[in-house]
C-alpha cells in the first residue's frame, strides 16, 4: 500500500509539474499504458517441475520531457504471475511487480518515428505462494529489492498528441525468496503502448 500511495503521489506531481511546461512549449508531459509479455526464469528454484517462463504483463507510466530529447518517467509494472507444475498439477506461484524511476532519451529516426531509450531503477516486489506439496512447512514469502532497468523502444506518432510505442525493457537481478532461500533472476518485457501527450 505504501508503494501504491507513493506512486500515486509521484504521478500527481509529474502531471501537475508538466502543465506549466506544456503551456510554454507545447506537449511536454505524457501518460502511457502498455500490455505485452514478460519472460523470466523466476521459477528456477524448482528445477524438477515444468515452469512457465513467459506470461502476460502490463504497465502504466507518466513522464515529462525537459527538452526535445531528455526527460524523466515513473511507472508501475505488473511483471506477471509465474506458475510451476508437477505432473500437471500447479504446485507454486510467483507474482512480481515493480515501481520504476528512469531517465528518458528520445530522438527522431524518420518522419513520424522516434527512438526511445530508458535507464534507471526498478523497485521490485516478488510474492511467492506454495500451492501444493508444501510438506507442512510454510514457504510463502515476499521479497523486495532494487534492480537496474534498461529499455529500448520505437514510437510512431498516430495523431498530434497520440503515439504508439513498442518497448523492450530488461530488469536485472530481481530478488526472490522461497522459505529461507534467496536467489535472483532477471525479467524481460516486450510491450505495445498507447501514449497520450499533453
Amino acid at each position: 500500500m505504501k508503494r501504491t500511495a507513493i506512486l500515486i503521489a509521484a504521478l500527481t506531481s509529474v502531471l501537475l509539474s508538466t502543465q506549466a511546461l506544456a503551456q510554454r512549449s507545447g506537449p511536454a508531459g505524457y501518460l502511457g499504458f502498455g500490455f505485452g509479455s514478460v519472460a523470466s526464469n523466476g521459477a528456477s528454484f524448482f528445477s524438477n517441475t515444468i515452469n512457465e517462463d513467459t506470461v502476460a504483463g502490463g504497465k502504466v507510466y507518466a513522464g515529462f520531457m525537459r527538452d526535445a530529447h531528455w526527460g524523466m518517467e515513473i511507472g508501475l509494472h505488473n511483471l506477471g504471475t509465474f506458475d510451476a507444475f508437477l505432473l500437471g498439477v500447479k504446485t507454486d506461484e510467483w507474482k512480481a511487480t515493480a515501481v520504476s524511476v528512469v531517465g528518458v532519451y528520445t530522438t527522431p529516426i524518420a518522419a513520424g518515428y522516434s527512438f526511445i531509450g530508458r535507464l534507471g531503477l526498478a523497485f521490485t516486489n516478488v510474492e511467492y505462494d506454495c500451492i501444493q506439496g508444501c510438506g507442512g512447512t510454510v514457504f510463502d514469502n515476499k521479497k523486495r529489492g532494487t534492480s537496474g532497468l534498461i529499455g529500448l523502444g520505437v514510437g510512431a506518432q498516430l495523431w498530434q498528441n497520440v503515439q504508439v510505442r513498442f518497448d523492450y525493457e530488461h530488469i536485472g537481478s530481481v530478488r526472490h525468496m522461497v522459505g529461507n532461500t534467496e536467489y535472483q533472476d532477471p525479467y524481460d518485457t516486450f510491450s505495445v503502448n498507447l501514449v497520450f501527450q499533453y
Side-chain angles (χ1 to χ4, degrees):
M1 292 299 294
K2 286 185 178 180
R3 290 192 175 192
T4 302
I6 291 172
L7 179 63
I8 291 173
L11 284 171
T12 302
S13 176
V14 169
L15 292 174
L16 291 176
S17 66
T18 54
Q19 287 182 354
L21 289 172
Q23 290 174 356
R24 291 199 306 269
S25 58
Y30 58 90
L31 182 64
F33 304 89
F35 179 79
S37 64
V38 182
S40 177
N41 196 25
S44 61
F45 181 84
F46 294 95
S47 59
N48 63 333
T49 61
I50 299 174
N51 304 323
E52 289 185 322
D53 56 10
T54 303
V55 298
K59 62 178 179 176
V60 57
Y61 52 97
F64 70 94
M65 301 303 295
R66 294 181 57 88
D67 55 39
H69 296 290
W70 298 98
M72 180 180 177
E73 186 178 292
I74 56 176
L76 176 62
H77 304 252
N78 176 2
L79 297 175
T81 300
F82 290 82
D83 299 327
F85 298 86
L86 182 61
L87 300 177
V89 177
K90 180 177 175 178
T91 59
D92 307 272
E93 178 182 88
W94 288 258
K95 295 179 181 179
T97 58
V99 175
S100 64
V101 179
V102 299
V104 179
Y105 173 77
T106 182
T107 188
I109 54 177
Y113 293 88
S114 58
F115 165 83
I116 302 110
R118 294 181 178 87
L119 183 64
L121 296 175
F123 304 95
T124 61
N125 182 66
V126 181
E127 180 178 347
Y128 165 73
D129 293 308
C130 181
I131 308 300
Q132 296 283 345
C134 303
T137 303
V138 178
F139 286 102
D140 296 357
N141 214 324
K142 294 181 180 179
K143 192 65 179 178
R144 293 182 176 178
T146 302
S147 303
L149 184 153
I150 184 170
L152 302 172
V154 174
Q157 206 70 32
L158 297 180
W159 297 284
Q160 182 178 358
N161 294 328
V162 180
Q163 187 181 60
V164 62
R165 293 182 180 177
F166 303 90
D167 286 339
Y168 161 76
E169 291 172 310
H170 175 81
I171 302 175
S173 300
V174 176
R175 299 173 69 185
H176 299 67
M177 179 75 78
V178 176
N180 295 320
T181 302
E182 180 180 340
Y183 61 100
Q184 299 180 356
D185 274 298
Y187 283 69
D188 293 288
T189 71
F190 302 86
S191 62
V192 178
N193 304 260
L194 195 61
V195 179
F196 300 91
Q197 303 161 320
Y198 55 92

